[in-house]
Each structure stands twice: as structure tokens, then as C-alpha cells.
Amino acid sequence: MNKQAVIEKEKTTERTAKYHILVSDAMSQEGLLPLLENANVHCVEAYVDEVEDLTQFDALLVRSATKVTEELLQKMPNLKIVARAGVGVDNIDLDAATKHGVVVVNAPDGNTISTAEHTFAMISSLLRKIPQANASIKAGEWNRKAFQGSELRGKTLGIVGFGRIGTQIAKRARAFEMSLLVFDPFLTKARAEKIGVTPASLDDVLAQSDIITVHTPLTKETKGILGMENIAKTKPGVFLINCARGGIIDESALKHYLANGHIAGAALDVFEEEPAQDKELLEFDNVIATPHIAASTKEAQLNVASQVSEEVIRFLEGQPATNSINLPTLSKEIYEKIQPYYDLTKRMGNLLSQVMKTPVQEIEVYYGGNITDLETSITTRSLIAGFLQPRVDAAVNDVNAALIAKERGITYGEKHVENTFGYSNLIHAVVHGEDRHFDIKGTYIKEYGARIVSINGFNVDFVPQGHLLYIQHNDKPGVIGRIGQLLAEHDVNIATMQVGRKQEGGEAIMMITVDKTVEEDVLKAVRKIEDIQFADKIEG
């Protein structure tokens, strides 16, 4: 076909196509075949600033380069869906997309195998000193004694975070006859036995592992989880691996323990600042590094492009999005009605996740009052997603929350009940663990917004957001004063305080809102106060 004929064919396709799709970042051509070979699709591959008329497009496919902003969304009034060929959606304004009624989807598991394989390659390379030996022999040396390594067989591998990637690493480690210790607050005994790993506390993983690899999301709780204090708990001669998120391992602490010889070596694919800037860290002979390429395989790039291409077609043809990051497709009227409860349940799930740190088996959600007139399955999924997100190594959304919960052995259900305890609407969530349970009640009041009104049977009234300090204590004179004094000594200002008790002199709770994050040393001091049973921080 000559050039003119090709142009005429493209014009015909553009005129007759039902769906117009813009691919604004470079992607695998093979992965885009579901779009390129679909007669109903006119697919344009170009940067957004190269396209004169953006109003025609129904869908936008991006990787990390294109920034999907409020301004761009305003220029694309017919846009129905944005698809991220990968996991992270930091380059997409989710609030703006939801406001414009645009569904955002990603490819959450397209790079699972590539990341797991890269991690294991880093472990093997680190223990056998392969990069150093390669550099030496290319420099004309033949120094076999300098590169004596260690076998993997018989070593204990500690895995911090046990989602999809951690699970795949465990399968490979078992083939190498390694012992496996896993720290993950959601790992149940049943799932651990099925996969063949031993669940353990973080301290036990640190103390007993020869090699430690991290596979958690980067959150306020996991940032620097391997820092000065925790690395000191590890075995002398430990190896550390990070192919997950930069910042999970504190790089300053890492340099300290590399310098004094406590850490035998480290393998890093991700860094606190990228491109990697810390030359001092990279100059250690026992540090090997790659430029954030764990997910960069031909197969992974094919998988993520193929997944989002197929997802976009299914969605445009009227099927539900299976990997939606924001709200499922709802009419504007229904969205406005459900949004306050949706936000409340997401916050309730997040709060429960932070206070219930033992493995969880079941989550029950009860609805009473006027919320039962709405589609509560949406708010239940929101609560489950809020519960899972702080502890899972992948993006969790309202659609995939059920699948992720099932993978982790968590069942859930919802019921409509008559009793609202005097509120016009009430949401009651109960989380059951292997050795304890935790429940909270929340309500939405139009004039006052979302409120938590009960925790484990104690009546309270606070907004589930900001910096919170949750304390269980004995109801005795002076306890509240001692806590207030201690916080003042550490320059922690109290904004609000809610106190609840069931009977005089019995068990009681405090929910304190403060102006900044409560640091771990302050928490430890609070826990040492007489009559304090439990204290932990919650970030809303």
C-alpha cells in the first residue's frame, strides 16, 4: 500500500471509528494490538502537546511521563477513562478525574514476576559478588580469592511485606532450600502454612534472618522501617535488599552500618532520591545497584500495555472496569449522595488497619438508618480498600479490594440492621483477628461531617483525620494529666481530647488529636506511664 493510500485509510478509520484513543507515552506495540487491530478504534500515538484537538478522545493511555492534571482534563471533555500502563498513579490527579467523571485504571500485577525475578537476581549477585568479579576480570585481573561468596541453601530469608511479589519470591527461595520468615500484619497462619513460610514479628525477622528483602508500600509507617534502631537488631553480617520503594531502608542508617561492618552487603534498585544522588553510598564495594529497573522487562512492558489496552476496550464497550483506582462509574447524582459515606468508610478502614496489627480473618460491616437506601456495596468496598491499602504492596481500589482480601485469607460481608443508636445513619465495622477483634462505629452528619462515635464499645466523638493518639488506660485520677504533661514536655500540642469509659474506675480510652505526628520515642514514654495499657498513633 502506497503512502497516500495509508493516509486515506487512516482518515477513513478516524471518521468511522466509535472510539478515539490517545496513547501519550511510549508503550509496547505488541501490547497495544488490542487497540491497533480493533476496527472500532482510532488510536493516536502522540504527546498531548502535539495534538491540536484533544476534545475527540474517549480514552487516554499513559505511563509516568504524561501528567494528567485538572488543566488537561478540562481540555478533554469527552474523556471517559485514563489508563496507566503500570502500577503507580502519582502522575494522575485522581480527585480531578473523579470530579470530571473519568475512571482511572492501572495494571496492578503486570510486573509482579519481573520484580520478583530481579529481586532474586540481586540476592544471588550480592552473595556471590558477581558484579564485583565481573568488573575485576574486565579490568584484566584474575583474583579468585577476592570473590569468595556464600550459598543460598540453608540461609534464612526474611521477607518484610507478603503481597504478590513477596509470595513469588518465597516460591523461588523454597526451590533454593532456604528457610523463610515473613513479617506481614495480614498474613494468617492458614495462608502461611499453604505457601510454606513461617510468620514472625518484625523483631524476629530482623534478629534471625541472614538476608532481608523489603516488599511493602512506602507509607508513613514503613518509611525508614529499616533505620538506625531496627538495623541494630539484625544479625552481624546481614544482607539487605530493596527492590520495592526508595525510603523503606534509611540510606543514612545503611551507610552507618555498612561503614562499621555490621551489614555484609546491600542490593538496591530504588533510592530515596532518583536518579540516585548519594555517591558515598554507591562507593561502598559491597553495595550493588541498578537504576530502578526491577519492572523493566520486555514481558512486563508487554503485560502492562496489553492489560490496560484490553481494559479500556472492555470499559468503552460498557463493561465495568476491573482495576479502577477511583470510584466505579456512577451517575453524578448517585456519586454526590454516596460520597460522604464513601469517604467515611475509607477513613474507618484505614483507622482499623492501623490499630489492628495482628493477622485478620474477617471483616463485618453493618448499616443502619437512611444509608440503607443507597448502594452500600460501594461503601463496603471502600472500607475494605481503606483497610488493605496501608499494608499491601500494590495499589488497592474499590474493585480489586475483594480479590486482594481473598488472596490474604480475609472474608467480609455486610448487613442492614434496624438499630442506629439514635443516629440518622450508622456504619458499624468489626474486624476479627486470630486472637482479638476490634470494632468502631461511624456516622455522617451534614452539619458536622464524618464522625467516629464508638470504639470497642466506648462512646467517643471525633473526626477521623489528622494526627491522632489512641490510648487505652485504667480510669484513675491523674492519668490524663500525666499524659498532657508528657506531651507538653515533648512539644506536642493537643488540639482535642475525647475520653470514654464504661464504668467509674474501670477500663477507659482516650482519642487525642495533636498538631503533628507523635514520634516513636514519645509513644514509648506514654506507654511507660502507670495505668496505661496501650498507646499508638493513627494518621488520618
Side-chain angles (χ1 to χ4, degrees):
M1 187 180 297
N2 61 42
K3 184 176 180 180
Q4 185 60 38
V6 171
I7 293 172
E8 290 301 323
K9 181 181 178 181
E10 289 179 350
K11 288 182 178 179
T12 301
T13 302
E14 183 176 356
R15 287 194 300 269
T16 60
K18 290 174 63 177
Y19 312 118
H20 298 266
I21 298 173
L22 175 62
V23 180
S24 62
D25 292 327
M27 295 186 196
S28 163
Q29 289 296 297
E30 186 178 354
L32 293 174
L33 287 180
L35 303 178
L36 300 176
E37 295 182 345
N38 191 313
N40 291 323
V41 170
H42 175 232
C43 187
V44 176
E45 297 180 64
Y47 298 118
V48 290
D49 56 4
E50 295 177 347
V51 181
E52 291 184 7
D53 181 16
L54 291 170
T55 63
Q56 62 180 305
F57 294 106
D58 303 286
L60 173 65
L61 273 65
V62 303
R63 290 185 65 190
S64 58
T66 298
K67 309 302 178 186
V68 184
T69 62
E70 168 73 30
E71 182 183 5
L72 178 60
L73 290 165
Q74 288 178 353
K75 295 177 181 178
M76 305 182 78
N78 291 316
L79 194 65
K80 302 171 183 64
I81 183 170
V82 173
R84 165 68 164 95
V87 178
V89 290
D90 297 344
N91 57 314
I92 301 172
D93 188 331
L94 295 178
D95 291 336
T98 302
K99 185 180 76 173
H100 284 270
V102 176
V103 172
V104 179
V105 300
N106 70 345
D109 57 359
N111 57 18
T112 297
I113 298 300
S114 64
T115 302
E117 288 186 355
H118 188 80
T119 301
F120 219 87
M122 294 285 268
I123 293 172
S124 299
S125 297
L126 186 62
L127 268 72
R128 296 307 301 268
K129 303 181 181 179
I130 292 172
Q132 297 92 331
N134 176 67
S136 173
I137 199 169
K138 286 192 172 184
E141 302 169 348
W142 189 264
N143 191 356
R144 296 175 64 190
K145 290 182 180 180
F147 304 111
Q148 185 180 65
S150 300
E151 293 182 358
L152 297 181
R153 187 179 68 165
K155 297 292 189 299
T156 297
L157 176 64
I159 304 176
V160 179
F162 205 60
R164 291 186 178 97
I165 295 169
T167 301
Q168 291 296 329
I169 289 168
K171 291 179 180 179
R172 286 150 179 77
R174 288 178 60 196
F176 278 79
E177 301 179 41
M178 302 180 76
S179 299
L180 294 163
L181 287 179
V182 173
F183 168 68
D184 189 309
F186 287 169
L187 181 60
T188 62
K189 291 178 181 177
R191 181 167 175 253
E193 290 174 1
K194 182 179 179 181
I195 298 173
V197 301
T198 301
S201 67
L202 178 60
D203 281 352
D204 284 343
V205 169
L206 296 174
Q208 299 176 34
S209 301
D210 302 300
I211 307 159
I212 299 173
T213 180
V214 292
H215 297 283
T216 70
L218 182 63
T219 64
K220 292 177 181 177
E221 291 75 24
T222 63
K223 182 176 175 60
I225 193 172
L226 290 185
M228 291 296 294
E229 183 177 349
N230 277 340
I231 295 178
K233 300 174 183 177
T234 60
K235 280 184 176 182
V238 70
F239 294 90
L240 300 184
I241 319 294
N242 187 5
C243 294
R245 310 288 194 280
I248 296 174
I249 297 178
D250 183 297
E251 291 177 6
S252 295
L254 179 60
K255 288 190 293 185
H256 172 81
Y257 287 105
L258 284 165
N260 68 17
H262 181 85
I263 295 175
L268 308 171
D269 182 57
V270 289
F271 299 86
E272 293 178 5
E273 185 179 351
E274 295 183 356
Q277 302 295 316
D278 195 334
K279 294 182 180 179
E280 189 177 314
L281 174 60
L282 297 175
E283 285 174 355
F284 281 95
D285 291 337
N286 52 348
V287 170
I288 65 173
T290 50
H292 203 151
I293 59 170
S296 297
T297 62
K298 294 178 181 178
E299 293 83 356
Q301 297 310 308
L302 168 60
N303 288 340
V304 295
S306 179
Q307 282 184 24
V308 295
S309 295
E310 292 170 357
E311 176 97 90
V312 164
I313 289 297
R314 287 195 300 267
F315 177 79
L316 292 177
E317 290 177 345
Q319 299 180 46
T322 57
N323 290 306
S324 171
I325 297 296
N326 54 352
L327 275 172
T329 48
L330 302 171
S331 69
K332 183 177 180 181
E333 180 183 5
I334 294 176
Y335 172 67
E336 289 176 349
K337 288 181 179 179
I338 203 75
Q339 184 184 18
Y341 305 105
Y342 176 88
D343 293 340
L344 170 60
T345 49
K346 183 67 67 72
R347 292 181 183 277
M348 289 174 66
N350 184 274
L351 188 154
L352 283 166
S353 182
Q354 294 184 61
V355 297
M356 187 72 173
K357 296 182 179 179
T358 58
V360 169
Q361 298 170 323
E362 183 182 10
I363 301 174
E364 298 174 295
V365 190
Y366 301 91
Y367 296 97
N370 54 32
I371 188 176
T372 59
D373 296 330
L374 301 175
E375 181 50 73
T376 54
S377 65
I378 295 171
T379 51
T380 297
R381 290 197 300 268
S382 171
L383 189 145
I384 301 301
F387 182 82
L388 292 171
Q389 185 59 79
R391 306 292 178 179
V392 176
D393 64 342
V396 184
N397 55 67
D398 307 326
V399 180
N400 69 10
L403 176 61
I404 293 174
K406 182 179 179 181
E407 289 176 347
R408 284 154 177 78
I410 301 172
T411 60
Y412 71 91
E414 66 173 66
K415 293 181 181 178
H416 290 187
V417 296
E418 297 293 329
N419 192 355
T420 65
F421 298 89
Y423 295 96
S424 61
N425 62 80
L426 191 75
I427 303 170
H428 180 195
V430 185
V431 177
H432 298 276
E434 293 179 336
D435 54 5
R436 61 186 286 243
H437 76 277
F438 201 97
D439 75 273
I440 61 174
K441 296 183 179 77
T443 188
Y444 173 75
I445 303 170
K446 187 176 180 181
E447 293 78 9
Y448 300 101
R451 321 288 299 185
I452 299 298
V453 295
S454 174
I455 293 181
N456 273 350
F458 294 95
N459 293 328
V460 292
D461 182 12
F462 68 92
V463 179
Q465 65 184 31
H467 309 295
L468 304 171
L469 184 60
Y470 172 61
I471 300 172
Q472 293 179 354
H473 62 100
N474 298 321
D475 181 32
K476 292 185 178 180
V479 174
I480 295 174
R482 289 196 294 271
I483 291 172
Q485 182 178 354
L486 188 147
L487 294 178
E489 290 172 356
H490 288 84
D491 195 32
V492 178
N493 190 49
I494 296 175
T496 65
M497 176 185 287
Q498 286 287 315
V499 181
R501 68 181 187 181
K502 295 178 181 178
Q503 62 184 32
E504 182 180 349
E507 188 179 22
I509 67 168
M510 271 182 268
M511 186 63 74
I512 303 172
T513 306
V514 295
D515 291 344
K516 64 181 181 180
T517 299
V518 178
E519 300 299 336
E520 191 62 33
D521 61 331
V522 181
L523 271 178
K524 289 181 178 179
V526 171
R527 292 168 185 150
K528 291 179 180 178
I529 294 176
E530 187 178 359
D531 292 312
I532 298 298
Q533 300 173 2
F534 171 88
D536 210 347
K537 63 181 177 181
I538 300 171
E539 295 294 325

